Amino acid sequence: MKKRFLVFLYALFIVSNVNAQSRVFKQVGSGISTSLHSILQDGSLVGYLTFTELEKASKDSFNYEITIMDENLNDIGKVKFSQQKLNLRSVAFEQDILCLTYIKSDVLGTTAKHKISYKIAAKKGYVSFFAQFINLQGEITKTFEKKADVDLYVALKEYEAGIRPFKQDIQLKNISGVGFAAFYGDKTKKSLLTFNAAGEKIGERQVKEVAATYYLHTAGDDIYLLTQKAEEYGSGYTLYGYSGTANSPTLKLPLRDKKQRMLDILGFGNDPATGKLFISGIVAGKFQENSEGNVYDIYNGAFKGIFKMDINGAHKEDVKTVYSCWADSTDNDITSKGYITSARGHIVPRPSFRDFEGNTYFLGSRLTAKKNKGALIAGIVTMPLLIPYYVMMATGAFGTYSFDDVLLMQMDKNGKISYVDSIGTEIYKRKNAAPVFQFADNCSFYSLTNPDTKTSFLIVKGEKDIIIYNVHEKKIVRKIAKNNNEVKTNIYPAKDGHIIVSEYDEKEKSTRLSIEAI
């Protein structure tokens, strides 16, 4: 749903074989920490940086080094500075300025693990939101700090388990032509800060909306917060939009259809042709409001259809929504319960994306499932006896299900839906009671676009292979084995029209990152 913000975490790396498009990182120790982050602008990757914590500079501060790289992994600058304990959370780029946001503290990560030392530190210590602005010459042009309301004693104990002190982690986006927007939440408030490219704070909104999760997004000079009431699958979403300098939301949009059924989001980002926000996903049935749902629910028609939403501005009149029921498909290929006749199964929609021509695509595993009604009745009757019931469950008597292909569907710009193609993957079959589908599916997916050719590609990660699929040509253009002897391969998005091929060599304890065109 969200744009992927890649973070590769390592202990310490020596960089070798520095050539355009390829780089090797060797792990050599655990005393110093280095992380590699992608730099994003308007949702597109424009470069990378490594953030390294070096030795202590003094009793309460550390030396740090930032290496800035272009989209081909070539070094373009280094920044060295000293500061108290920092945890880099996000990076963005706008008007030749990098903005980095951190959790800063004088006690987290530096206090001895002891109840008494925690109590002492909690009395005098602090945690803050910290922003740093760096130009392309490697100069820190501005910093900003705001202390957070945090229960430090609790934060110190939780920090041992890797739990960060903010209730809502820091999120950062660039605002095109303006600067940056940052969001975070502490114990008592949720702050939405805006900065110009010079690093000056130009606005601060206190977000009053109550939710479990918040997603920050920008499109043009509009700022959006997508909220989710609970973290379980199928929970209610609401989109809030802030236009210009408005302190209160100018848009409040609960994501439900005209029948008040929940809309579950699968695509959330900027339209590649217009740069405006779009949302797409599925129209949920009642099961999602009362339970997590299993594969049999989907097979029996729990998903009612799909939708797309174009948000051209942060006001209600700027929103255009199109709903399509399964039965509205071309050639009547899809039944009202979502069964695709030509594919001989149901799609379990996962990611959704938009192409340059205004078509919206939905990708997901093909589901086939079958209940044994007689066995289910017998199981209910024999349940008090326990042993017969568990024997039937262990032998798969109640039913079977499988995820055995990846299906691609299209909603055209007029809202008409059709089945496009099947992308073969490994067969995944199981018996017994069907689980919640998102935990059982053995595939992960995402899309990439080449803006020069305006071609969309799909990356399908199965258990054994990674498949690169050309959407417009409807064919597999490359297949990569995930494991080859001691080398583990993975694929990540890179600059427009490219991928990162990550190859981890277990024997050498090194990772090679290569930028390749698709």
Side-chain angles (χ1 to χ4, degrees), residues 75-138:
D75 287 353
I76 59 176
K78 290 183 181 291
V79 184
K80 294 184 178 182
F81 65 98
S82 298
Q83 189 55 261
Q84 289 177 315
K85 188 71 173 182
L86 296 176
N87 186 332
L88 178 59
R89 305 307 309 141
S90 51
V91 185
F93 183 74
E94 177 63 28
Q95 298 182 35
D96 294 338
I97 292 291
L98 276 171
C99 179
L100 292 78
T101 53
Y102 306 84
I103 297 173
K104 178 182 174 181
S105 176
D106 64 341
V107 291
L108 291 181
T110 60
T111 302
K113 296 178 181 179
H114 191 276
K115 186 176 181 179
I116 295 176
S117 60
Y118 282 178
K119 287 184 176 181
I120 296 172
K123 291 181 180 179
K124 66 180 181 64
Y126 75 92
V127 173
S128 66
F129 166 88
F130 184 70
Q132 188 180 60
F133 300 86
I134 302 173
N135 62 24
L136 294 183
Q137 288 72 49

Side-chain angles (χ1 to χ4, degrees), residues 224-366:
Y224 297 93
L225 270 179
L226 178 67
T227 67
Q228 189 177 11
K229 286 185 177 179
E231 295 180 354
E232 292 83 9
Y233 180 84
S235 307
Y237 291 97
T238 301
L239 180 69
Y240 296 92
Y242 299 83
S243 179
T245 59
N247 285 322
S248 299
T250 54
L251 173 68
K252 180 182 179 181
L253 184 67
L255 267 65
R256 289 179 178 265
D257 71 357
K258 295 178 181 179
K259 295 182 180 180
Q260 294 303 301
R261 293 178 296 199
M262 288 186 179
L263 305 179
D264 191 61
I265 298 175
L266 302 175
F268 183 78
N270 292 346
D271 186 298
T274 66
K276 300 296 184 181
L277 175 62
F278 85 91
I279 301 175
S280 54
I282 56 176
V283 180
K286 290 183 178 180
F287 87 91
Q288 287 184 291
E289 299 188 29
N290 300 310
S291 69
E292 291 184 327
N294 61 43
V295 295
Y296 293 141
D297 290 323
I298 299 167
Y299 210 75
N300 290 325
F303 296 156
K304 303 304 179 184
I306 53 181
F307 75 93
K308 67 172 183 174
M309 188 177 291
D310 291 283
I311 296 103
N312 296 311
H315 297 88
K316 187 175 181 180
E317 60 270 20
D318 297 321
V319 180
K320 182 181 179 183
T321 306
V322 177
Y323 303 97
S324 290
C325 296
W326 297 129
D328 297 332
S329 64
T330 57
D331 303 324
N332 297 318
D333 189 34
I334 308 175
T335 70
S336 60
K337 290 187 176 181
Y339 182 83
I340 306 172
T341 305
S342 57
R344 300 189 302 280
H346 287 68
I347 187 173
V348 182
R350 297 280 286 284
S352 176
F353 63 97
R354 181 76 59 86
D355 69 9
F356 277 90
E357 297 174 356
N359 300 306
T360 305
Y361 292 90
F362 297 81
L363 181 71
S365 294
R366 180 177 69 172

Side-chain angles (χ1 to χ4, degrees), residues 439-485:
F439 301 127
D441 197 350
N442 66 330
C443 279
S444 61
F445 326 89
Y446 56 86
S447 64
L448 296 173
T449 300
N450 187 324
D452 296 327
T453 62
K454 293 183 170 52
T455 304
S456 297
F457 296 86
L458 299 175
I459 310 297
V460 180
K461 297 182 181 180
E463 288 186 341
K464 298 179 180 178
D465 297 319
I466 302 169
I467 295 170
I468 302 177
Y469 177 87
N470 186 311
V471 174
H472 301 283
E473 295 181 0
K474 299 181 183 178
K475 68 177 184 181
I476 296 173
V477 296
R478 188 175 177 185
K479 185 179 285 189
I480 303 170
K482 292 177 70 173
N483 295 291
N484 183 10
N485 296 325

Side-chain angles (χ1 to χ4, degrees), residues 349-390:
R350 297 280 286 284
S352 176
F353 63 97
R354 181 76 59 86
D355 69 9
F356 277 90
E357 297 174 356
N359 300 306
T360 305
Y361 292 90
F362 297 81
L363 181 71
S365 294
R366 180 177 69 172
L367 166 68
T368 58
K370 185 178 181 180
K371 283 185 178 181
N372 187 330
K373 293 183 179 179
L376 287 170
I377 294 171
I380 293 172
V381 173
T382 60
M383 188 177 292
L385 301 177
L386 293 180
I387 293 178
Y389 174 83
Y390 285 112

